[in-house]
Amino acid sequence: MSTFPLARTRRRPRISGPGRPNFWVYGLLTAFVLGSVFPFYWSFLVASRDNSMLTEQIPPLVPGGNFFANAARVFDTVPFWKALGNSIIVAGSVTISTVLFSSLAGFAFAKLRFKGRNALFLFVVATLAVPTQLGIIPLYMAMAELGWANELQAVIVPNLVTAIGVFWMRQYTVSAVPYELIEAARMDGCSMIRVFWHVCLPAVRPAAAFLAMFTFMTSWNDFLWPLVALGPDNPTVQVALEKLQSGYYVDYSLVLAGTTLATVPILVVFFLLGRQIVAGIMQGAVKG
């Protein structure tokens, strides 16, 4: 009986180098995540206790049992339910209109040829250099002439579209929507609005998701213009939080309980739109 020599199994070479993350990469990522989460955890920690914990030499790192009591005091001190409703209406309306109008304008600037296109786009970009505070007084005078003082329209209408949104969607549309798709859709009989709706909008969905999250967060955290345009009986969340610390004695457990409650809608929006953003990043990485 003849025997045959067995082939030796070769060990696969160990992958190393810049293509594989090492210990330092994971360490930096862990430190970044902890540094990002810690402020929110500290806010919740203070909100679950009282002001006495701030004077302790070694502050506790475990939440207490007073969060719901402090949250109830927030709703009793300021009209927080109304402030939450106003902020949801304002941020939701501004986000939907900004994404829609910015996508339309970005598509026009990126793919349509018309006279004065570059000059008009340059003018839109130039408005980014104008400070927002510069137009508060004339803008308030215009809102008062329209009878919108102390109304939510005064906060929504001036922010229906933003220059940064138009610039962002234009830059993304240039590379995401090839001219061949537009020409094919036009040859099939699609109008330009149908080309935008069925060809452009699905292609720029990751950029639109990021713009929606950025716009919602910016509108939700806006403080100066709602403080000027809205009265004390019709506040947004940020104006209501300011009223929690407007007294001589500041109850930080009360303030941070309201801050924690005001952070929840932003986290919900991030979890809803985060998948679209990650999918767009992965799609771009695969194409690259």
Side-chain angles (χ1 to χ4, degrees):
M1 184 176 180
S2 61
T3 59
F4 297 93
L6 297 176
R8 293 183 179 180
T9 58
R10 296 182 178 178
R11 291 184 178 180
R12 294 183 177 179
R14 189 173 183 179
I15 300 175
S16 61
R20 184 175 182 177
N22 54 20
F23 170 78
W24 296 107
V25 174
Y26 287 114
L28 289 174
L29 290 175
T30 303
F32 179 77
V33 170
L34 293 178
S36 301
V37 174
F38 181 76
F40 179 75
Y41 178 75
W42 180 256
S43 298
F44 179 74
L45 188 67
V46 177
S48 63
R49 294 180 177 270
D50 51 24
N51 270 358
S52 61
M53 72 159 289
L54 299 176
T55 61
E56 299 180 8
Q57 293 183 352
I58 302 178
L61 298 178
V62 179
N66 297 334
F67 177 75
F68 292 104
N70 291 332
R73 288 198 299 136
V74 170
F75 289 101
D76 293 336
T77 306
V78 294
F80 205 74
W81 280 119
K82 187 173 185 178
L84 281 174
N86 288 343
S87 291
I88 291 174
I89 293 173
V90 171
S93 302
V94 170
T95 299
I96 294 173
S97 64
T98 298
V99 171
L100 178 61
F101 294 142
S102 297
S103 300
L104 283 167
F107 174 69
F109 282 126
K111 297 301 176 180
L112 302 185
R113 297 182 177 90
F114 54 91
K115 188 176 182 180
R117 180 184 67 171
N118 295 332
L120 185 59
F121 180 69
L122 182 62
F123 175 78
V124 172
V125 175
T127 59
L128 294 173
V130 180
T132 305
Q133 295 80 0
L134 197 64
I136 285 183
I137 294 177
L139 185 59
Y140 181 80
M141 294 173 62
M143 295 299 106
E145 287 292 331
L146 294 173
W148 289 354
N150 199 25
E151 299 291 338
L152 295 182
Q153 300 94 303
V155 183
I156 295 174
V157 173
N159 298 310
L160 287 179
V161 64
T162 59
I164 187 65
V166 174
F167 175 77
W168 167 255
M169 295 305 299
R170 187 263 180 190
Q171 296 301 107
Y172 192 89
T173 305
V174 167
S175 59
V177 183
Y179 280 104
E180 292 78 8
L181 286 178
I182 299 176
E183 292 174 357
R186 292 290 290 170
M187 291 179 64
D188 288 339
C190 289
S191 62
M192 194 55 67
I193 191 64
R194 289 188 63 189
V195 171
F196 166 78
W197 190 259
H198 295 287
V199 176
C200 177
L201 201 56
V204 300
R205 186 171 57 183
F210 175 81
L211 179 62
M213 187 181 68
F214 177 78
T215 304
F216 186 91
M217 183 179 64
T218 303
S219 180
W220 185 271
N221 294 329
D222 191 13
F223 171 72
L224 181 59
W225 177 239
L227 178 66
V228 174
L230 301 177
D233 55 339
N234 195 28
T236 58
V237 165
Q238 304 306 323
V239 178
L241 291 178
E242 188 272 338
K243 294 184 181 301
L244 291 177
Q245 51 185 333
S246 58
Y248 180 77
Y249 172 77
V250 179
D251 188 348
Y252 288 101
S253 62
L254 183 68
V255 174
L256 291 179
T259 303
T260 304
L261 294 174
T263 309
V264 173
I266 297 180
L267 295 178
V268 172
V269 171
F270 174 77
F271 285 119
L272 291 176
L273 299 177
R275 181 176 300 179
Q276 297 289 337
I277 297 173
V278 173
I281 295 174
M282 295 302 296
Q283 183 181 5
V286 171
K287 288 182 178 180

